[in-house]
């Protein structure tokens, strides 16, 4: 009821503070309008009941006082400017006395404003004690408060773009942290969370604290993602979802989300005891506005309201979707739990745990199971206790299920806030406006997440050790160094999404299992199916892609029967950043996330011989790799033909070598790379044989998973494998060639990096510099034993 007074005071204050750029006549007009408005407001106040009259009087008296003070700032019918620059413009004789008068007036105005705030607090307390029947009903149908209009939101300035500037109130502090809780389990949900987080980060102006209730899979994926994303003013905490299963596993549930769809019920118990409020979101949510606007709605909760929910936008809870449809009890259409505002502190005081458990036990006696997981139980509780819910406007959860009636919301509301794909069909849902919503979703799906690493203006981030170390390392580099970009790449943190697709594999119990390790970019994607046909064992791949390319890869993989038929392939996305291909970083990512004791370090453009997986497992036992430092070499060959009848045996391969269909790898451009393998001996060998390291040796090897990583200073083309083999030799690995193993390099267009190497002299100079620095590092690490590398390099 007191909103007109509040609006008037806000506007008047804005005209006072700096004049809002108005000239003197405009300010006189504003003053006249203000006095007239005040008179009309007093006329309204006289006609109200005693309680409301007293309340409005308390609020409006300070307003009249303020007008009096404002009017007192006029001299001779002209306003006294409160801006020093403006007053100097109007009065060249700006003096110390006028400055003192200005300061005195500001003090008086601040005192009146403080009195006004105190009176408003008293008024709100008085309203809180008012009888329930005077507060109105907030739980039925779409009203101006609840959905299509939401006049209170418009007056408060919370709905961006639709509100009057004079009505805005600072209900969310500039650097106030917004808490968001999300239940996430599995590989697909982890991908969905990334899109949700992108949409939130895109619009946000406040620090964020994500509380992720996740299983071990989702925690591994998302912990790595956020750690490598390094977004300022974002904190992430994880809560073990598997430990919460016992809390809800007794509830039979038919929903496609499974047991994890019930875990929102135990958030009061799961989240920190000192956390007072939180926004709870489903993973299939997309934000189209700043989440701070939703956080601000908490200030509208009154009395015992502890849940903020949007009305369900389908007839599900009305029970008329099909014959014999029997939903759980709900208030009217019920409420959708894709977006929830939870007042945790009040819920705990109300003993929420007991409340929902008793309700669920009672309803399950008749319903036998839930159909919509936690949503059914939330609605059953609200049915018994309508006072718990504050109905959010419909645009905070525009629901796109098959039977949705959401059009009744967005037909009248142009400023949509949250899109919810609440159907197992997701983007394939039937809706005549689905293209519009799909395009909004795809915007964030393919948006470059690196662009979201921006600092929040005026909000200092918490100290992050990784970020500080990175800045320190970068600050030590010389930006005038011609090889600066090469050196910088070594310290670049690339955003990484592990297990982009479903992965399921248990290593063989005999301890001989081997994973093929490789890396690739978008231009080598066509090799995946062929490799899967040649290698039946587990594979770990690091893919260097942009956000948009990652979605192209997802569509490609989901459309491939070969790839979808394999669950033992781990796809790890390393997102593009910088100007070089980080080949050794990619290899390290793929190596780090294998589950077998041994790995075959290969490249994506090689096809292993048929049966190589089983042959290597036998060789692991034969050469006792578990107890010795050995690197088993798989000899490499190449063909210049795009179509090749792949040899099925060593004898067939030797025949093709003799006919010129196959060649030893890089024999015509880089002989030294594989010459130590001794192909002449391999032709007749029947047992494994040992070879010695030589300069520039870079074979493809099978090693234990605890072998050293690749050196990250080598990017793009050149010396990336050579340095790794040198490190293995320095650590006294024995190189053993397998007599019946082989792999064949398939032809392809030259990579961008090899083109730069060949055409850019500075590129070659920097690579030579990096080689020298690597050898110096080797001498420091391995001492006298490393001298042979310098000698070999000088003699080569």
């Amino acid at each position: 009821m007191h909103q007109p007074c509040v609006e008037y005071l806000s506007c008047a204050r804005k005209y006072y503070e700096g004049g809002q750029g108005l000239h003197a006549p405009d300010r006189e007009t504003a003053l006249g309008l203000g006095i007239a408005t005040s008179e009309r407001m007093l006329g309204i106040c006289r006609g109200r009941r005693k309680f409301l009259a007293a309340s409005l009087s308390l609020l409006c008296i300070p307003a009249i006082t303020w007008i009096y003070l404002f009017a007192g700032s006029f001299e001779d019918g002209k306003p006294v400017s409160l801006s020093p620059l403006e007053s100097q413009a109007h009065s060249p004789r700006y003096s110390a006395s006028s400055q003192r008068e200005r300061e005195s007036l500001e003090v008086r105005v601040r005192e009146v404003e403080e009195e006004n705030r105190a009176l408003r607090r008293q008024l709100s307390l008085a309203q809180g004690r008012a009888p329930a029947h005077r507060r109105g009903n907030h739980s039925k149908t779409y009203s101006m408060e609840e959905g299509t209009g939401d006049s209170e939101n418009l007056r408060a300035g919370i709905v961006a773009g639709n509100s009057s500037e004079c009505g805005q109130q600072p209900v969310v502090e500039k650097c106030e942290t917004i808490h968001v809780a999300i239940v996430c389990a599995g590989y697909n949900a982890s991908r969905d969370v990334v899109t949700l987080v992108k949409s939130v980060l895109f619009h946000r102006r406040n620090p964020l604290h994500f509380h992720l209730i996740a299983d071990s899979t989702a925690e591994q994926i998302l912990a790595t993602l956020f750690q490598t994303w390094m977004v300022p003013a974002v904190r992430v905490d994880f809560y073990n979802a598997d430990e919460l299963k016992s809390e809800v596993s007794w509830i039979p549930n038919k929903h496609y989300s499974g047991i994890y769809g019930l875990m929102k019920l135990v958030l009061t118990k799961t989240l920190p005891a000192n956390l007072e409020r939180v926004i709870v979101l489903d993973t299939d949510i997309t934000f189209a506005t700043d989440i701070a606007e939703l956080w601000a709605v908490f200030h509208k909760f009154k009395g015992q309201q502890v849940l903020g929910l949007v009305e369900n936008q389908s007839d599900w809870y009305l029970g008329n979707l099909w014959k014999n449809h029997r939903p759980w009890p709900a208030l009217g259409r019920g409420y959708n739990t894709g977006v929830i505002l939870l007042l945790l502190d009040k819920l705990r005081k109300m003993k929420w745990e007991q409340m929902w458990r008793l309700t669920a036990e009672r309803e399950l006696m008749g319903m036998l199971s839930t159909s919509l997981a936690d949503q059914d139980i939330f609605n059953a509780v609200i049915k018994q206790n309508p006072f718990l819910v504050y109905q959010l406007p419909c645009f905070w959860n525009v629901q796109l299920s098959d039977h949705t009636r959401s059009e009744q919301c967005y037909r009248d509301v142009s400023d949509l806030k949250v899109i919810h794909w609440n159907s197992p069909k997701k983007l394939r849902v039937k809706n005549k406006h689905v293209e519009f919503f799909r395009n909004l979703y795809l915007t964030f799906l393919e948006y470059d997440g690196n662009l979201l690493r921006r600092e929040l203006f005026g909000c200092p981030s918490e100290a992050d050790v990784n970020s500080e170390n990175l800045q320190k390392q970068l600050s030590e580099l010389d930006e005038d160094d011609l090889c600066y970009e090469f050196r910088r790449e070594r310290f670049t943190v690339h955003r990484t999404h592990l297990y982009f697709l479903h992965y399921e594999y248990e290593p063989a119990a005999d301890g001989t299992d081997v994973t093929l390790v490789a890396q690739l970019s978008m231009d080598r994607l066509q090799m995946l199916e062929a490799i899967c046909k040649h290698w039946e064992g587990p594979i770990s791949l690091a893919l260097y892609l942009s956000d948009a390319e990652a979605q192209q890869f997802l569509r490609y993989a989901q459309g491939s029967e070969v790839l979808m038929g394999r669950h033992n392939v781990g796809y790890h996305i390393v997102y593009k950043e910088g100007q070089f291909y980080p080949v050794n970083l990619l290899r390290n990512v793929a190596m780090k996330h294998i589950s077998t004791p041994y790995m075959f370090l290969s490249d994506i453009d090689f096809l292993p011989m048929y049966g190589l997986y089983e042959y290597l497992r036998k060789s692991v036992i034969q050469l006792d790799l578990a107890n010795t430092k050995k690197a088993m070499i798989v000899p490499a060959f190449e063909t210049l033909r795009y179509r090749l009848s792949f040899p099925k045996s060593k004898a067939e391969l030797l025949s093709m070598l003799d006919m010129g269909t196959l060649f030893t790898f890089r024999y015509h451009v880089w002989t030294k790379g594989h010459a130590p393998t001794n192909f002449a001996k391999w032709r007749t060998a029947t047992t494994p044989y040992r070879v010695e390291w030589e300069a520039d040796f870079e074979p493809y090897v099978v090693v234990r998973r605890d072998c050293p990583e690749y050196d990250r200073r080598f990017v793009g083309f050149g010396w990336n494998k050579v340095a790794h083999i040198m490190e293995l030799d320095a650590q006294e690995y024995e190189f053993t060639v397998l007599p019946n193993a082989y792999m064949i390099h398939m032809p392809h267009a030259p990579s961008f990096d090899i083109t730069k190497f060949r055409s850019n002299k500075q590129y070659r100079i920097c690579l030579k510099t990096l080689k020298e620095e690597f050898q110096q590092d080797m001498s420091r690490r391995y001492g006298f034993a490393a001298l042979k590398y310098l000698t070999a390099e000088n003699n080569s």
Side-chain angles (χ1 to χ4, degrees):
M1 289 296 185
H2 61 275
Q3 187 69 27
C5 296
V6 176
E7 285 183 328
Y8 169 69
L9 287 172
S10 299
C11 290
R13 184 161 62 250
K14 284 196 173 187
Y15 282 114
Y16 165 77
E17 293 173 348
Q20 292 293 316
L22 298 177
H23 297 295
D26 294 325
R27 285 196 294 273
E28 291 173 2
T29 304
L31 178 63
L33 289 171
I35 294 170
T37 304
S38 178
E39 291 174 353
R40 287 197 300 274
M41 286 157 54
L42 287 174
I44 293 170
C45 292
R46 295 190 191 101
R48 304 296 184 187
R49 298 177 182 177
K50 289 182 179 181
F51 170 76
L52 296 176
S55 302
L56 284 169
S57 297
L58 284 171
L59 191 60
C60 294
I61 286 171
I64 298 170
T65 306
W66 191 91
I67 294 169
Y68 170 76
L69 291 174
F70 187 67
S73 66
F74 284 72
E75 292 180 357
D76 301 326
K78 295 181 180 179
V80 176
S81 173
L82 299 180
S83 167
L85 292 174
E86 193 175 338
S87 62
Q88 286 176 17
H90 287 288
S91 175
R93 290 175 293 183
Y94 179 69
S95 64
S97 61
S98 61
Q99 173 69 13
R100 285 194 297 273
E101 290 174 3
R102 173 180 174 276
E103 292 173 352
S104 175
L105 185 59
E106 288 179 342
V107 170
R108 291 163 65 191
V109 169
R110 282 196 294 270
E111 290 173 350
V112 172
E113 288 182 335
E114 183 58 36
E115 182 183 354
N116 177 40
R117 282 193 290 270
L119 289 170
R120 286 176 61 190
R121 284 195 294 270
Q122 294 176 13
L123 180 62
S124 64
L125 290 173
Q127 285 183 319
R129 291 190 294 268
H133 68 273
R134 292 186 183 177
R135 297 189 194 123
N137 186 350
H138 299 277
S139 60
K140 288 285 185 180
T141 66
Y142 291 131
S143 68
M144 291 297 285
E145 170 64 23
E146 296 162 350
T148 55
D150 196 2
S151 58
E152 183 180 346
N153 277 357
L154 296 175
R155 287 194 298 270
I158 293 172
V159 180
N162 293 338
S163 57
S164 167
E165 191 179 15
C166 295
Q168 294 181 5
Q169 299 181 31
V171 289
V172 178
E173 296 295 332
K174 177 179 175 59
C175 294
E176 180 179 351
T177 299
I178 296 171
H179 294 267
V180 181
I182 304 169
V183 178
C184 176
Y187 302 94
N188 294 339
S190 299
R191 281 202 313 273
D192 294 338
V193 164
V194 178
T195 308
L196 162 59
V197 169
K198 278 187 189 178
S199 70
V200 173
L201 291 176
F202 181 84
H203 298 286
R204 65 106 178 214
R205 294 184 179 87
N206 286 72
L208 296 170
H209 188 164
F210 290 101
H211 302 266
L212 300 178
I213 297 85
D215 66 350
S216 57
T217 296
E219 181 172 353
Q220 181 189 16
I221 295 170
L222 296 175
T224 302
L225 178 71
F226 279 104
Q227 183 182 356
T228 54
W229 205 339
M230 299 179 70
V231 183
V234 170
R235 177 179 169 184
V236 183
D237 282 328
F238 290 91
Y239 309 84
N240 193 331
D242 294 329
E243 293 179 359
L244 301 175
K245 286 182 177 180
S246 60
E247 301 282 342
V248 292
S249 58
W250 57 274
I251 304 172
N253 178 31
K254 294 181 179 178
H255 194 254
Y256 63 85
S257 60
I259 192 171
Y260 299 100
L262 296 162
M263 289 187 178
K264 292 181 201 168
L265 296 165
V266 295
L267 290 181
T268 53
K269 189 175 180 180
T270 306
L271 298 178
N274 61 349
L275 183 59
E276 296 181 355
R277 61 188 64 181
V278 68
I279 298 173
V280 186
L281 303 173
D282 278 357
T283 58
D284 50 3
I285 291 287
T286 306
F287 265 78
T289 192
D290 189 350
I291 196 171
E293 296 179 20
L294 180 57
W295 188 255
V297 179
F298 274 117
H299 293 272
K300 295 187 174 187
F301 284 30
K302 295 170 183 161
Q304 293 181 289
Q305 291 173 338
V306 290
L307 303 170
L309 294 163
V310 171
E311 187 177 53
N312 202 43
Q313 292 167 7
S314 78
D315 291 344
W316 178 273
Y317 285 108
L318 299 181
N320 58 9
L321 291 181
W322 57 79
K323 188 178 180 181
N324 298 326
H325 176 215
R326 186 167 169 247
W328 275 54
L331 201 63
R333 290 187 177 277
Y335 294 93
N336 184 277
T337 56
V339 177
I340 316 176
L341 301 188
L342 286 184
L343 272 181
L344 295 170
D345 52 345
K346 285 191 175 182
L347 277 167
R348 293 182 184 111
K349 291 175 183 177
M350 290 179 176
K351 300 189 183 305
W352 168 253
E353 284 285 319
Q354 296 179 19
M355 190 182 296
W356 75 259
R357 284 176 182 276
L358 290 172
T359 302
E361 288 171 0
R362 182 179 64 248
E363 297 300 333
L364 282 170
M365 294 175 66
M367 298 302 301
L368 303 180
S369 69
T370 62
S371 295
L372 301 182
D374 64 271
Q375 184 169 302
D376 284 338
I377 297 175
F378 269 103
N379 275 288
V381 173
I382 292 169
K383 175 75 170 179
Q384 297 297 318
N385 308 279
F387 58 86
L388 295 176
V389 70
Y390 174 86
Q391 183 163 325
L392 295 172
C394 64
F395 47 66
W396 283 118
N397 186 351
V398 177
Q399 301 148 41
L400 299 179
S401 58
D402 275 339
H403 303 289
T404 184
R405 293 178 176 268
S406 60
E407 190 178 344
Q408 295 178 4
C409 171
Y410 62 76
R411 183 177 54 198
D412 299 317
V413 179
S414 59
D415 193 15
L416 299 176
K417 305 291 186 183
V418 172
I419 309 303
H420 184 190
W421 303 89
N422 62 323
S423 165
K425 296 180 181 179
K426 302 306 176 191
L427 270 64
R428 299 186 303 277
V429 72
K430 295 178 182 178
N431 182 294
K432 68 179 182 180
H433 298 122
V434 73
E435 283 301 320
F436 169 81
F437 296 118
R438 186 184 288 117
N439 289 338
L440 177 65
Y441 174 81
L442 292 176
T443 297
F444 295 111
L445 189 72
E446 301 185 355
Y447 189 82
D448 184 355
N450 297 330
L451 300 178
L452 300 170
R453 285 172 166 165
R454 60 180 183 267
E455 292 278 354
L456 289 183
F457 181 75
C459 294
S461 301
E462 292 183 18
D464 179 78
V465 176
N466 292 331
S467 180
E468 289 178 352
N469 289 340
L470 175 62
Q471 292 304 320
K472 182 176 181 297
Q473 290 167 336
L474 292 176
S475 67
E476 293 172 353
L477 298 179
D478 180 8
E479 294 189 20
D480 295 327
D481 183 355
L482 293 176
C483 300
Y484 170 77
E485 293 298 333
F486 283 85
R487 301 187 195 283
R488 190 183 192 282
E489 184 62 39
R490 183 179 184 180
F491 303 110
T492 301
V493 178
H494 289 263
R495 184 166 42 103
T496 303
H497 188 135
L498 304 178
Y499 300 105
F500 198 67
L501 295 177
H502 182 79
Y503 179 79
E504 187 177 345
Y505 182 73
E506 286 293 330
D510 61 4
T512 64
D513 222 340
V514 182
T515 299
L516 186 151
V517 171
Q519 39 70 39
L520 69 151
S521 53
M522 200 67 182
D523 58 343
R524 301 288 187 266
L525 207 58
Q526 74 281 357
M527 290 295 299
L528 289 181
E529 288 189 343
I531 287 179
C532 285
K533 291 176 181 177
H534 280 250
W535 178 272
E536 64 270 27
I539 304 174
S540 182
L541 298 172
L543 297 89
Y544 191 57
L545 306 173
S546 66
D547 291 76
E549 287 174 341
Q551 298 310 313
Q552 294 175 34
F553 160 69
L554 180 62
R555 291 191 288 272
Y556 170 81
Q558 290 177 336
S560 167
E561 290 185 14
V562 174
L563 300 187
M564 285 295 97
R566 294 284 295 270
H567 298 299
N568 61 349
V569 182
Y571 300 96
H572 313 297
I573 308 295
V574 176
Y575 287 99
K576 285 185 175 179
E577 187 169 0
Q579 56 179 299
F580 296 104
Y581 184 79
V583 57
N584 280 355
L585 167 67
L586 296 172
R587 288 180 172 132
N588 290 341
V589 169
M591 284 169 57
K592 188 176 179 180
H593 298 97
I594 67 170
S595 55
T596 60
Y598 304 100
M599 51 190 177
F600 172 31
L601 304 179
S602 181
D603 272 337
I604 197 65
D605 40 15
F606 278 89
L607 290 180
M609 73 175 199
Y610 291 110
L612 181 61
Y613 170 60
E614 290 298 332
Y615 177 72
L616 292 181
R617 290 181 61 181
K618 293 175 182 176
S619 299
V620 162
I621 299 173
Q622 181 185 0
L623 295 174
D624 193 23
L625 249 62
N627 302 305
T628 57
K629 272 190 169 182
K630 284 191 175 72
M632 301 191 305
I633 295 174
V634 177
F637 301 87
E638 68 176 333
T639 180
L640 303 180
R641 300 183 179 184
Y642 282 89
R643 292 186 178 183
L644 176 72
S645 177
F646 199 90
K648 296 179 174 59
S649 65
K650 179 177 179 178
E652 192 174 333
L653 180 137
L654 292 174
S655 175
M656 296 173 75
L657 277 173
D658 294 336
M659 290 189 297
T661 307
L662 291 179
F663 309 92
T664 55
F665 185 54
R666 291 289 184 260
Y667 82 100
H668 55 300
V669 292
W670 185 244
T671 307
K672 294 193 299 183
H674 294 265
T677 300
N678 195 344
F679 289 99
K681 184 173 182 177
W682 181 83
R683 292 179 69 103
T684 59
T686 56
T687 58
Y689 59 93
R690 182 175 177 177
V691 296
E692 297 297 326
W693 175 89
E694 295 179 22
D696 299 320
F697 192 27
E698 52 175 7
Y700 293 95
V701 296
V702 178
V703 288
R704 294 199 309 242
R705 63 179 299 171
D706 62 354
C707 83
E709 291 187 336
Y710 287 82
D711 194 295
R712 277 196 61 188
R713 83 186 77 199
F714 297 106
V715 295
F717 177 81
W719 245 63
N720 44 73
K721 292 192 298 293
V722 171
H724 187 246
I725 295 298
M726 186 182 291
E727 186 94 29
L728 292 179
D729 183 65
Q731 293 193 12
E732 300 181 342
Y733 275 74
E734 180 183 309
F735 296 103
T736 304
V737 180
L738 298 176
N740 294 309
Y742 57 88
M743 57 196 299
I744 299 177
H745 179 267
M746 306 303 292
H748 55 72
S751 67
F752 179 66
D753 291 278
I754 196 171
T755 303
K756 282 199 297 185
F757 172 81
R758 290 169 177 170
S759 62
N760 188 330
K761 181 180 179 181
Q762 187 58 45
Y763 193 112
R764 297 191 295 275
I765 291 173
C766 287
L767 178 59
K768 185 174 184 297
T769 302
L770 294 176
K771 286 168 55 177
E772 292 171 353
E773 291 175 357
F774 173 75
Q775 289 172 332
Q776 292 168 9
D777 289 345
M778 290 283 286
S779 296
R780 281 190 289 269
R781 286 202 302 271
Y782 300 106
F784 181 78
L787 289 178
K788 70 173 184 177
Y789 305 121
L790 290 172
T791 306
E793 181 69 21
N794 293 332
N795 293 335
S796 63

